[in-house]
């Protein structure tokens, strides 16, 4: 059967649903905001950045009144639509960090590893079963010129203290068998896979247990100075807060300047049915995450029930940068993903996809987070993670809290924190 015909058959019954949130044990939504409220700290956005900000704030100051407002439900946006690759890097990889922040790279690596360890400790402390699996990730070469790139990358990682090994064609195919693989670099330290839905729900539950007031289905429509604090307006009421952390990611920002630095780029994902006995045809005994090495790349991993989550390749930007549910599915891109899947794993011919979905990534020109303040320092924001925020959002939340509380310390000296990326030009 030609690849294109197999792709069509495999997609025939795929449902447009978010795989990670498509569970029977999804938590009941918290009640929307009704009436007026006061808080020491208000957080706008219930993705990873907002949830980490809420949890870190309450752990540091248990008496602090913290309220979190989410327009949909916690984890609805990019936090529930990613591949679940949790990396220590705060700079979208070592090479990108060296390119943008060479003078700070050792400190950023130290902070990233501490952040990674802090995530693992938090999951244990709050009994959050996010399926944390420190299995590492393999970058694979599928074109000849990428082989030396990966050899150099393995050496660079080792020079900076990571456990990384270069795999030749035979070695990489012994780990995961694809006829397209020519080589690979396996980073075995400071990279884990998680279930992003369960991570979001676990952070939400831990925040609630500590006394954070969470209001879902509450869209904040306006922010303004109000006396010594900040007022947030929502359809059902108003919150008066001393300080605000804005963690709305790629969605139209309440602080207009953020839009200059973020471009919403859509990423699309397919999820297979459980592979069952057919997993054996791939090897993949160590269950690492994988990504190929081109500018247009796929990322993929196994789930607990032995499905393959397969995403990436096309990064779709639409004129004007719209974000909305009508863009969550794209037939052309999903078909291309399916065709590439079967080129990568022809031994899985006949496997069907059960889920197809997409979501917008808050891309910045330097591919990693940036920070800022408004309203006289009473509001801080973090955005621009560019698809590698599962781990970096905890650090982003820490920086945003430090900015509004005046407790940033020596983090304020980092270029990552004090300098913004190059803004995108007008449309």
């Amino acid at each position: 059967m030609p690849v294109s015909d197999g792709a069509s058959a495999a997609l025939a019954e795929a449902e447009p649903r978010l795989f990670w949130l498509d569970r029977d044990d999804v938590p009941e939504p918290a009640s929307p905001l009704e009436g007026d409220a006061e808080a020491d700290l208000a957080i706008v956005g219930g993705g990873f950045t907002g949830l980490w900000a809420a949890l870190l704030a309450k752990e540091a100051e248990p008496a602090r009144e913290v309220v979190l407002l989410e327009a949909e439900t916690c984890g609805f946006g990019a936090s529930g639509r990613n591949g679940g690759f949790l990396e220590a890097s705060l700079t979208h990889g070592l090479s990108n960090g060296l390119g943008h922040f060479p003078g700070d790279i050792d400190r950023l690596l130290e902070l990233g590893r501490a952040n990674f360890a802090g995530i693992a400790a938090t999951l244990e402390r709050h009994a959050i079963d996010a399926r944390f699996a420190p299995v590492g990730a393999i970058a694979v070469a599928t074109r000849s010129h990428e082989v030396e790139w990966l050899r150099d990358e393995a050496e660079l990682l080792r020079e900076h203290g990571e456990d990384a090994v270069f795999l030749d064609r035979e070695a990489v195919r012994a780990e995961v068998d694809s006829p397209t693989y020519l080589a690979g670099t396996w980073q075995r330290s400071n990279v884990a896979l998680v279930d992003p839905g369960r991570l979001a729900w676990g952070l939400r539950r831990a925040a609630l247990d500590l006394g954070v007031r969470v209001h879902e289905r509450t869209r904040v429509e306006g922010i303004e100075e109000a006396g010594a604090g900040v007022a947030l307006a929502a359809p059902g009421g108003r919150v008066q807060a001393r300080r605000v952390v804005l963690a709305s990611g790629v969605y139209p920002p309440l602080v207009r300047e953020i839009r200059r630095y973020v471009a919403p780029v859509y990423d699309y994902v397919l999820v297979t049915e459980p592979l069952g006995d057919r997993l054996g045809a791939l090897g993949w005994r160590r269950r690492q995450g994988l990504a190929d090495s081109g500018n247009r790349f796929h990322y993929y991993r196994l789930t607990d029930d032995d499905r393959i989550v397969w995403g990436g390749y096309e990064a779709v930007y639409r004129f004007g940068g719209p974000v909305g549910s009508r863009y969550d599915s794209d037939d052309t891109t999903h078909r291309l993903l399916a065709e590439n899947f079967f080129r990568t794993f022809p031994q899985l011919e006949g496997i069907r996809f059960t889920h197809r979905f997409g979501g917008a990534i808050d891309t910045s020109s330097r591919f990693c987070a940036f920070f800022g303040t408004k309203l006289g320092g009473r509001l801080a924001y973090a955005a621009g993670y560019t698809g590698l925020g599962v781990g970096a959002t905890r650090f982003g939340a820490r920086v945003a809290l430090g900015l509004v509380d005046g407790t940033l310390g020596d983090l304020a000296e980092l270029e990552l924190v004090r300098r913004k990326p190059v803004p995108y030009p007008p449309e």
Side-chain angles (χ1 to χ4, degrees):
M1 179 186 294
V3 169
S4 58
D5 293 344
S8 296
L11 285 167
E13 298 178 5
E15 295 287 338
R17 299 197 308 270
L18 298 181
F19 172 74
W20 301 113
L21 306 183
D22 186 20
R23 307 275 172 75
D24 292 336
D25 58 346
V26 57
E28 286 294 321
S31 61
L33 177 69
E34 294 183 2
D36 294 343
E38 295 184 359
D40 297 313
L41 174 69
I43 298 165
V44 181
F48 289 146
T49 299
L51 291 166
W52 277 117
L55 191 57
L56 292 172
K58 284 296 279 187
E59 285 186 328
E61 297 182 52
R64 193 176 195 177
E65 288 292 331
V66 179
V67 60
L68 184 150
L69 308 173
E70 162 57 39
E72 298 288 345
T73 55
C74 291
F76 173 83
S79 299
R81 299 166 192 256
N82 60 81
F85 286 66
L86 194 162
E87 302 190 17
S89 176
L90 305 176
T91 60
H92 210 279
L94 176 56
S95 295
N96 191 60
L98 279 167
H100 287 285
F101 315 108
D104 289 339
I105 194 63
D106 290 338
R107 175 66 171 142
L108 289 169
L109 288 170
E110 175 189 347
L111 288 165
R113 290 164 185 156
N115 184 66
F116 184 86
I119 291 171
T122 299
L123 300 184
E124 182 175 357
R125 185 167 62 253
H126 292 285
I128 296 172
D129 183 11
R131 309 296 200 264
F132 180 90
V135 291
I138 301 176
V140 297
T142 59
R143 295 176 295 179
S144 58
H145 66 272
E146 296 167 356
V147 174
E148 288 307 310
W149 291 357
L150 292 184
R151 194 187 304 273
D152 292 344
E153 182 70 12
E155 183 176 352
L156 183 66
L157 287 165
R158 289 193 297 270
E159 288 174 355
H160 286 84
E162 296 295 346
D163 177 6
V165 59
F166 175 77
L167 306 171
D168 62 18
R169 181 171 185 167
E170 182 178 347
V172 72
R173 291 189 64 176
E175 293 296 331
V176 183
D177 190 15
S178 168
T180 67
Y181 294 172
L182 303 178
T185 288
W186 180 9
Q187 183 177 340
R188 299 184 291 199
S189 58
N190 296 307
V191 179
L193 297 178
V194 295
D195 179 320
R198 295 195 184 282
L199 176 58
W201 294 343
L203 293 174
R204 174 187 182 273
R205 190 261 303 158
L208 286 167
D209 288 348
L210 292 180
V212 175
R213 288 176 284 156
V214 175
H215 294 288
E216 294 173 301
R217 312 291 191 197
T218 301
R219 184 177 302 278
V220 178
E221 298 176 335
I223 296 179
E224 62 183 11
E225 293 184 67
V230 181
L232 292 79
R238 182 179 174 94
V239 174
Q240 177 79 23
R242 292 181 58 251
R243 297 290 184 266
V244 173
V245 167
L246 182 58
S248 51
V250 74
Y251 292 97
L254 292 160
V255 172
R256 289 175 61 90
E257 73 176 38
I258 296 175
R259 191 61 185 267
R260 299 176 58 212
Y261 302 103
V262 169
V265 174
Y266 265 81
D267 177 65
Y268 291 95
V269 183
L270 295 172
V271 183
T272 71
E273 63 187 332
L275 300 185
D277 293 342
R278 299 192 66 177
L279 178 59
L282 304 181
W284 214 345
R285 292 174 298 278
R286 303 184 218 245
R287 307 180 72 84
Q288 308 98 322
L290 290 111
D292 44 55
S293 301
N295 285 330
R296 302 168 78 193
F297 68 95
H298 305 95
Y299 58 86
Y300 41 112
R301 47 83 56 96
L302 293 169
T303 66
D304 284 351
D305 59 349
D306 292 338
R307 303 168 186 262
I308 295 177
V309 176
W310 175 266
Y313 196 71
E314 290 283 64
V316 180
Y317 177 81
R318 297 176 173 89
F319 186 80
V323 177
S325 59
R326 64 188 179 279
Y327 306 113
D328 288 353
S329 187
D330 186 293
D331 291 345
T332 300
T333 304
H334 281 134
R335 181 181 174 84
L336 179 61
L337 280 173
E339 291 174 353
N340 290 348
F341 176 89
F342 289 111
R343 289 191 183 99
T344 302
F345 295 130
Q347 60 269 55
L348 294 183
E349 180 183 339
I351 286 290
R352 301 298 182 101
F353 298 105
T354 60
H355 294 72
R356 55 183 173 88
F357 57 92
I361 296 170
D362 57 336
T363 305
S364 71
S365 63
R366 70 186 188 194
F367 296 153
C368 57
F370 63 91
F371 309 93
T373 61
K374 294 293 285 184
L375 305 181
R378 285 170 284 183
L379 178 148
Y381 60 80
Y385 298 98
T386 318
L388 207 66
V390 178
T393 45
R394 180 181 180 274
F395 180 79
R398 177 185 169 192
V399 170
L401 287 171
L403 286 169
V404 292
D405 291 339
T407 58
L408 205 52
D410 63 356
L411 296 183
E413 300 171 8
L414 294 170
E415 274 199 80
L416 174 70
V417 173
R418 61 184 174 81
R419 181 167 61 85
K420 288 187 174 61
V422 174
Y424 289 107
E427 194 77 53

